[in-house]
């Protein structure tokens, strides 16, 4: 069977981008106030909550279409690390009730975006000639 790395990267981009985009869209329904409150509680400005929209809305859209995939994937990976530090640090070494890692979904987003950072978006993407593609 012939390898098709570019089609595989397209599938990875769509999976990571679409699933995180759905996660980010849910924040529009009042979730930003919760995030803003958590930031203020930790001594950070509440408007940093809008960074979540960049990491969970804009970056996934760029990943899906394959425009500056590497920088968008890096933004998503950083977003995942910040989410762990801000809201899930107590769960890093926990096993869920179903036997998996408590942070497995966040881990999949992180490691998937990290893979895209190192590989780029492939040939089936909106842009492919820049170092950040």
């Amino acid at each position: 069977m012939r390898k098709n790395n570019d089609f595989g990267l397209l599938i990875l981009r769509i999976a990571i981008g679409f699933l995180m985009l759905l996660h980010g869209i849910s924040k529009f329904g009042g979730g930003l106030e919760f995030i803003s409150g958590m930031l203020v509680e930790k001594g950070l400005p509440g408007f940093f909550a809008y960074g979540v929209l960049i990491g969970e809305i804009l970056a996934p859209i760029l990943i899906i279409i394959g425009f500056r995939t590497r920088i968008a994937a890096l933004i998503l990976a950083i977003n995942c690390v910040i989410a762990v530090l801000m809201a899930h640090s107590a769960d890093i070494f926990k096993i869920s009730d179903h036997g998996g890692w408590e942070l497995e979904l966040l881990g999949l987003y992180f490691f998937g975006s990290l893979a895209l950072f190192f590989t780029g978006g492939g040939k089936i993407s909106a842009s492919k000639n820049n170092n950040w593609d």
Side-chain angles (χ1 to χ4, degrees):
M1 179 179 236
R2 199 176 118 241
K3 285 186 191 178
N4 193 339
N5 292 338
D6 295 314
F7 190 65
L9 288 171
L10 173 65
I11 292 170
L12 180 62
R13 284 193 353 249
I14 290 170
I16 295 294
F18 180 70
L19 293 172
M20 180 53 84
L21 181 61
L22 292 177
H23 187 77
I25 288 171
S26 72
K27 299 262 178 11
F28 275 121
L32 281 183
E33 287 78 25
F34 170 74
I35 294 167
S36 178
M38 188 171 26
L39 289 166
V40 169
E41 185 178 295
K42 295 191 184 269
L44 298 168
F47 71 88
F48 280 5
Y50 289 99
V52 170
L53 299 180
I54 294 169
E56 295 184 11
I57 301 282
L58 181 60
I61 290 171
L62 294 175
I63 288 170
I64 290 168
I65 64 174
F67 185 77
R68 303 300 186 254
T69 304
R70 296 176 114 185
I71 190 77
L74 181 62
I75 290 168
L76 180 55
I78 291 169
N79 187 74
C80 291
V81 169
I82 291 171
V84 168
L85 295 174
M86 296 296 294
H88 303 287
S89 59
D91 300 330
I92 293 175
F93 299 108
K94 285 187 181 176
I95 300 295
S96 73
D97 295 337
H98 305 289
W101 183 33
E102 188 71 32
L103 300 178
E104 65 188 13
L105 186 58
L106 196 51
L108 283 171
Y109 291 141
F110 173 75
F111 289 111
S113 63
L114 199 60
L116 286 170
F117 172 73
F118 286 109
T119 62
K123 292 179 183 174
I124 309 171
S125 56
S127 63
K128 39 194 166 293
N129 296 324
N130 189 287
N131 286 337
W132 288 108
D133 293 329

